[in-house]
Amino acid sequence: GEFNPQDLANTAWSFATAGIDAPRLFPAIARAAQLRIGQFNPQNLANTAWTFAKAGIDAPGLFDAIATAAQPRLGEFNSQQFANTVWAFAKAGVDALRLFDAIAAETTSRVLEFSAQQHANTAWAF
């Protein structure tokens, strides 16, 4: 069968955290994720962005799709998902000014939800 969004995110995360070089896997996951990006929940979006940044995979189309899908759903994100998303975009060197502006606006009233590490990661990303 086909992978659902969580399957795609978890598979990519597993390979990235294990440090396994998978030159054919990551582009295939990026393509599949872009096709299903509207089905991704905030955790899938954040984890996928984090994974590709952590693995150092150049996937501008995927990051653009994540930014577009995330913006209208930022109210559903938790502090970890915000921190992981901005860290990933910054680490990957992806310019996503509109996404960062929207996250800044959304998180201003939610700053107390962030842990010290999440604050540090978010500040570094900005």
Side-chain angles (χ1 to χ4, degrees), residues 3-13 28-29 32-33 36 40 48:
F3 277 25
N4 66 39
Q6 185 173 349
D7 296 334
L8 292 168
N10 288 350
T11 300
W13 180 89
I29 289 174
R36 295 174 182 81
F40 278 50
T48 302

Side-chain angles (χ1 to χ4, degrees), residues 5-32:
Q6 185 173 349
D7 296 334
L8 292 168
N10 288 350
T11 300
W13 180 89
S14 297
F15 276 79
T17 56
I20 297 171
D21 186 28
R24 292 176 43 198
L25 177 68
F26 284 104
I29 289 174
R31 285 189 303 274

Side-chain angles (χ1 to χ4, degrees), residues 45-62:
L45 293 167
N47 288 356
T48 302
W50 183 92
T51 294
F52 275 77
K54 169 80 172 149
I57 305 297
D58 186 37
L62 176 61

